[in-house]
Amino acid sequence: MKLPTTHLLPGMKLAKPVYGNCGELLLNRGVVLTSRYINALKRNNVIVVDVDGPVPYDEMEINETLSEKIRVEAMRVLNSWVKNLENTPISSIFESVEALLDEILSGKAVIDHLTDICSSDLYTFAHSVDVCTLAILTGIRLGYSREKLFALGAGSLLHDIGKTLIDPAVLNKPGKLTPEEFKIIMTHPAKGWKLIKNKKGENEVHPRSMNIILNHHERYDGTGYPRNLKGSEIDEFSMICAVADVYNAMTTDRVYRKAFPPNEVYEMFQASGNTKFDLRVINAFLSCVKPYPAGTLVRLSNGTIGCVVSANPPLPFRPKVQLIPSGEILDLEKELSLVIEAPLSPEEAQKFVISYGP
Ligand SMILES: [Fe+2]
């Protein structure tokens, strides 16, 4: 299960390797945390790690769409490209998209744990890689060719590139934005588009990828920006990126608010078809994410606590749950008298890991 580094305690065991911002291995899977290790993780700006929970990872059906190493490498490439826009060829970004695409197309097509928490300066890069992954998965569900998936992925990876030209004090402001500050934020799609549009030769970005940079804040009902496009005026690539962008932002902690639990965001999206987003895109997107990812600790309607171990795709709100501490596995697809009442909060989850964990 995922825990913020602020909630880690000595004695907890890492369930997955932890990589630094440059892709280097910091601590390997199976390492038992000490105070020194926990402090080192905080110093390296690692915000969340996976620790063994009450149910061992080996018993869970974890679908890793993207290895942490490829994800961190894509973040690093994006970061170094932004720092040296004039001299670094954009082809390095294209290579990252190819690597992401290869990994995703290698057969694993469900996301469990994409929503890491990131510090504000790294947020844009981590968010861009995650949006790119979610967009590619949605494109696969829509039957896109590899060529289309590449253009969709490249545009999604670059969608917020204009934010690098926005004053960081406005971009990372912890409180509510003033109308003037929001106007500044609203310039990032056009700024990003202008930044990329004159690239030629091997650095030229596909026009459909360019559309994503400009249109990813447009909304189906015409309430988006910068051009208030409506319905079919918005290209499908941009609509896919918009859905992935909002989902990933809502399920991630930000400087100004806590993340919404995935089940709440999933329900909001189910109710939003043909209002903010195109219904066909929403349905394809929701088949790629889960309201209760494996490893989520949940409270059932009879008061018992359990850990989600695998999903039932036709009934996403009725997964298989392993009860704690008995270990009995309930298939909520069959146990129709029970429902999941709510996921445990990170604080409640932490108490369970300490009580029943390693
Ligand atoms: Fe954006």
Side-chain angles (χ1 to χ4, degrees):
M1 61 178 293
K2 279 192 182 299
L3 275 183
T5 39
T6 49
H7 287 58
L8 294 177
L9 293 170
M12 289 178 170
K13 195 164 149 194
L14 287 178
K16 287 193 199 175
V18 181
Y19 295 95
N21 296 331
C22 296
E24 75 282 16
L25 181 69
L26 293 178
L27 291 172
N28 217 335
R29 176 185 173 155
V31 166
V32 177
L33 293 174
T34 61
S35 303
R36 195 163 66 85
Y37 284 157
I38 294 168
N39 288 333
L41 290 172
K42 288 176 186 166
R43 267 201 315 278
N44 278 278
N45 293 323
V46 176
I47 313 294
V48 169
V49 297
D50 288 275
V51 293
D52 274 337
V55 176
Y57 261 68
D58 293 345
E59 291 176 29
M60 282 185 222
E61 185 187 280
I62 298 287
N63 297 292
E64 284 276 29
T65 303
L66 209 53
S67 70
E68 193 61 14
K69 195 151 193 181
I70 287 199
R71 183 170 176 269
V72 171
E73 172 62 12
M75 277 171 64
R76 190 193 64 73
V77 168
L78 202 52
N79 192 0
S80 62
W81 183 70
V82 163
K83 282 184 178 149
N84 197 3
L85 280 173
E86 293 306 313
N87 302 319
T88 315
I90 206 166
S91 48
S92 60
I93 301 279
F94 295 158
E95 282 164 23
S96 267
V97 178
E98 290 286 2
L100 293 171
L101 205 46
D102 282 343
E103 172 116 342
I104 295 167
L105 289 173
S106 67
K108 303 159 186 170
V110 184
I111 288 188
D112 260 326
H113 292 287
L114 211 57
T115 52
D116 275 356
I117 302 166
C118 278
S119 59
S120 55
D121 43 336
L122 285 175
Y123 172 78
T124 300
F125 303 118
H127 172 70
S128 297
V129 176
D130 292 347
V131 168
C132 170
T133 306
L134 286 164
I136 289 173
L137 286 170
T138 309
I140 292 170
R141 293 300 158 110
L142 290 169
Y144 282 12
S145 64
R146 182 171 176 120
E147 201 183 340
K148 277 177 84 175
L149 291 174
F150 177 78
L152 173 66
S156 300
L157 192 61
L158 292 168
H159 76 282
D160 264 347
I161 204 71
K163 281 191 176 168
T164 58
L165 304 174
I166 303 284
D167 179 1
V170 177
L171 197 61
N172 301 321
K173 184 181 170 183
K176 199 173 182 302
L177 295 175
T178 65
E180 289 70 30
E181 287 166 337
F182 192 61
K183 270 187 197 158
I184 295 171
I185 297 280
M186 283 167 71
T187 62
H188 81 270
K191 280 191 164 134
W193 186 81
K194 281 183 198 147
L195 184 70
I196 307 286
K197 79 177 164 79
N198 292 326
K199 303 274 179 199
K200 295 289 173 230
E202 64 167 16
N203 289 314
E204 188 169 348
V205 177
H206 194 284
R208 296 192 74 174
S209 311
M210 293 295 298
N211 283 342
I212 296 177
I213 299 171
L214 187 61
N215 296 337
H216 69 276
H217 283 285
E218 300 291 356
R219 296 292 178 259
Y220 196 79
D221 58 5
T223 57
Y225 64 86
R227 295 183 289 166
N228 305 111
L229 300 181
K230 204 171 182 179
S232 59
E233 292 171 345
I234 307 166
D235 61 286
E236 190 167 84
F237 279 24
S238 299
M239 190 49 69
I240 293 171
C241 182
V243 172
D245 182 24
V246 172
Y247 178 89
N248 194 254
M250 290 184 79
T251 51
T252 306
D253 272 354
R254 300 305 312 279
V255 279
Y256 47 85
R257 61 144 174 80
K258 284 272 170 207
F260 291 89
N263 62 307
E264 287 183 22
V265 182
Y266 194 99
E267 282 180 54
M268 272 185 256
F269 271 61
Q270 275 185 321
S272 70
N274 282 356
T275 53
K276 295 291 177 198
F277 307 109
D278 179 277
L279 185 60
R280 184 167 167 267
V281 171
I282 285 278
N283 287 339
F285 179 83
L286 289 179
S287 69
C288 304
V289 292
K290 294 172 184 169
Y292 297 110
T296 307
L297 290 171
V298 293
R299 180 177 295 102
L300 300 179
S301 49
N302 63 358
T304 53
I305 303 289
C307 181
V308 175
V309 287
S310 66
N312 287 317
L315 293 170
F317 286 89
R318 306 194 71 82
K320 286 194 181 77
V321 175
Q322 185 163 19
L323 298 183
I324 299 168
S326 74
E328 181 193 353
I329 292 182
L330 286 182
D331 185 347
L332 294 182
E333 194 178 18
K334 296 183 182 121
E335 301 283 342
L336 296 177
S337 61
L338 286 174
V339 291
I340 292 178
E341 203 171 78
L344 299 194
S345 68
E347 290 73 24
E348 290 174 307
Q350 186 205 19
K351 280 183 199 157
F352 261 82
V353 174
I354 293 164
S355 308
Y356 298 105

